[in-house]
Structures are given as structure tokens and as C-alpha cells.
Amino acid sequence: MVEDDVRIADVLRRALGEAGYAVDVTHSTTAALEAFALETHDLVILDLLLPGLRGGGMEVCRLMRVESSDVPILMLTAVDSPRNRVLGLDAGADDYLTKPFHLQELLARVRALLRRAPRADHPIVSVDGVSLNPATRVAIRAERTIPLTGKEFAVLEYLMRNAGTIVSASDLIDHAWDGNYDGYSNVVQTYIRYLRQKVNEPGESDFIRTHRGMGYSVGQLT
């Protein structure tokens, strides 16, 4: 997320975090382009009026689109005019939201853009009898719906999208928590325990395996 108003950025970061998304925040055009080049992101939320490069968010959008044609870009702006919407879409934005807006509308647009992203061509992920639908954020095992918090869903989704490989705790932190996370070191172990309590019923095999000193895996290792 690129937003120069720190107060707005903090509100949006917390709302997205509570919805289960890991959010990296920058406040200028140069910082945004550096973060985009260094890390892989699933979605960009981009303010139009930004300090730094001439052209602000419009120029950032254009440069990001040169770098990647796949990452969805949601442009935010306080300037509500048809001309600006056209310019933003022509610069490469996939959607356009005018301030002020309701948080629920922002979250709905984020979900819609992620559903249309390339990785969402086959949204339902299935591993060893557990299915996960990122579009509806529902997990099912043996016809049983598993109630998950936003963060639990993010951890389980990353494990299932990387089925057959060992995922380290640091990889999970990178993808399920934001880049500024500085919480306690055993947070991943804690969330794995929460997931096991919810995913595993008595008599069922342990869906998540621990590899001591290495990380966690689901599915048959390849």
C-alpha cells in the first residue's frame, strides 16, 4: 500500500490486517518503487497524490505496469473526476476508488481484484482431503467447515499453496504478517497449534507436519 497520509495508511493497514492480509506500507513514490522491485506482492493499493516523482501515483502506476503486467493495482484518490479516472485506468490501474470510502467497499474491491489475479484461475486449493476457497475464505475437511480467523486462513493458505515443500517459519512471517512485524518469535508455532486444533478432529491424521529446525509442510513431500 502506497499512501502518504500516515493516519489513513495506519487505518487501512489495520483493517486489511484484521481481514487476514499481510500489508507492506510505503509513503512516497521512490519507496513504493523500491518495495515493488524487491518483494513479490499480490496487490497494490496506490494513492494518486504522492510526494517524490513528478506525476505522483500516476507515474508510479505506469512504472509498476512496465515492470509487471499481472499484479492488480487499485488506485485511491480524493480527486473525483472522469478525466482522472480515465488517466488512472490508462496508466495501468485495474480499479479506481474515490475518497472518502467505506472500508467494507475497499475490502470488497480487494477481494474482487485478487479473484481476477492470475493465481486465482483455479481458486479452490485441495490437499489431502482439505479444500480451501480463497474467494470465499472457507476451509473444509470431511464436509466440515473449519472456522478460521483471518491470520489462521493466511497461514493455512500459504502452506497449502506450497504443498509438498517445507515452509520455514520466516517464510510464513513474510507472507502472513507485514514487513514491519516485530512480535514474539514463536508466533508461527502458536498459529500452527491453533490450526491443528481446528483442522484435526479425533481419529484424523495430522494435516500439518512439523520438521524440527526446518519448518512445516502439508501434503506429500516431493
Side-chain angles (χ1 to χ4, degrees), residues 136-169:
T136 60
R137 303 184 75 79
V138 170
I140 295 175
R141 183 176 192 180
E143 300 184 355
R144 182 182 81 254
T145 299
I146 304 166
L148 298 173
T149 66
K151 195 64 67 182
E152 289 166 352
F153 189 94
V155 171
L156 183 60
E157 180 183 19
Y158 190 71
L159 286 170
M160 291 181 66
R161 287 192 179 280
N162 291 276
T165 64
I166 297 175
V167 177
S168 69

Side-chain angles (χ1 to χ4, degrees), residues 13 21-25 151 169-191:
R13 181 189 60 77
Y21 301 107
V23 186
D24 294 329
V25 181
K151 195 64 67 182
S170 62
D171 281 342
L172 283 169
I173 286 177
D174 285 345
H175 287 83
W177 283 264
D178 64 55
N180 298 316
Y181 177 77
D182 59 358
Y184 58 100
S185 60
N186 64 338
V187 64
V188 171
Q189 182 181 351
T190 298
Y191 272 87

Side-chain angles (χ1 to χ4, degrees), residues 191-210:
Y191 272 87
I192 293 294
R193 184 173 72 251
Y194 293 159
L195 282 171
R196 283 187 168 128
Q197 291 169 351
K198 293 183 175 183
V199 175
N200 301 329
E201 287 279 294
E204 293 178 336
S205 59
D206 193 352
F207 181 67
I208 302 173
R209 288 181 287 280
T210 299

Side-chain angles (χ1 to χ4, degrees), residues 57-59 61-63 65-66 73 75 82-96:
M58 205 75 76
E59 180 64 9
C61 183
R62 189 187 67 78
L63 292 172
R65 195 51 78 214
V66 169
I73 298 175
M75 187 169 283
R83 180 176 181 275
N84 274 282
R85 287 196 293 273
V86 169
L87 289 173
L89 294 171
D90 283 347
D94 297 278
D95 200 357
Y96 198 97

